[in-house]
Amino acid sequence: MQVLTVKAAGFQLLVPVNMVAQITGKLPVQPGHLEIDGAAGFIHWRDFSLPLFRTTQLFGGRESDDDDYERVVVLWPMKSAGSDSFVALTSLGPPRVVEATELSAADDDAEMPFAMGYVNLAEGLGVIPDIDALARKAWASKESPGHAE
């Protein structure tokens, strides 16, 4: 299976290629509140407003600068949910495609939020994210009464 590596500080996320809707450059971020650490705000992509997450902060727990990324990776993890499942992640550099069959499990107990597992990459730690869980939580938070766009 092919996966896209999304670069963060100290690790890379491995996202199934079939979840990737588009990779873009930086997009203007609109302020907004989501009750998820790492939420940067919202971006306008095509005809949608969708949540943008700072990958390093979301999975690594470290604070990150709002402007510390080169690319935005738009993901569509739950196609059956329609446009209410798009989320976007920042990438510190250009993402690349790798074969998942070449990866070995990592002995890592980092216990990052939204992480399902860890693998060894030539560049260091690879994190397998639970993008479905992130999208469900993001959209539930966006639709909550306290949300302001």
Side-chain angles (χ1 to χ4, degrees):
M1 176 169 94
Q2 291 188 327
V3 295
L4 187 76
T5 62
V6 178
K7 296 181 181 197
F11 63 94
Q12 294 185 60
L13 289 185
L14 304 177
V15 178
V17 171
N18 65 355
M19 284 188 181
V20 178
Q22 185 174 7
I23 300 168
T24 73
K26 288 186 175 187
L27 296 171
V29 179
Q30 304 300 317
H33 177 73
L34 289 173
E35 296 177 11
I36 301 173
D37 287 340
F42 294 86
I43 59 171
H44 185 74
W45 174 76
R46 298 186 181 176
D47 291 330
F48 306 106
S49 173
L50 53 130
L52 174 68
F53 294 95
R54 294 180 195 98
T55 303
T56 298
Q57 187 177 353
L58 177 66
F59 292 93
R62 297 194 316 245
E63 290 291 324
S64 60
D65 186 339
D66 286 346
D67 201 32
D68 70 346
Y69 63 96
E70 289 182 19
R71 305 282 196 287
V72 171
V73 180
V74 178
L75 302 173
W76 194 12
M78 302 178 297
K79 291 177 174 61
S80 63
S83 63
D84 285 349
S85 68
F86 283 114
V87 293
L89 300 173
T90 60
S91 182
L92 297 181
R96 65 184 177 87
V97 176
V98 298
E99 281 293 328
T101 56
E102 301 169 4
L103 306 175
S104 62
D107 294 326
D108 197 298
D109 59 353
E111 296 188 25
M112 295 177 179
F114 301 106
M116 295 182 355
Y118 308 94
V119 295
N120 293 312
L121 299 172
E123 301 83 10
L125 179 65
V127 177
I128 300 168
D130 189 343
I131 298 297
D132 288 346
L134 174 62
R136 281 191 299 275
K137 186 166 183 175
W139 284 93
S141 177
K142 183 177 179 183
E143 294 167 1
S144 69
H147 171 72
E149 268 190 75

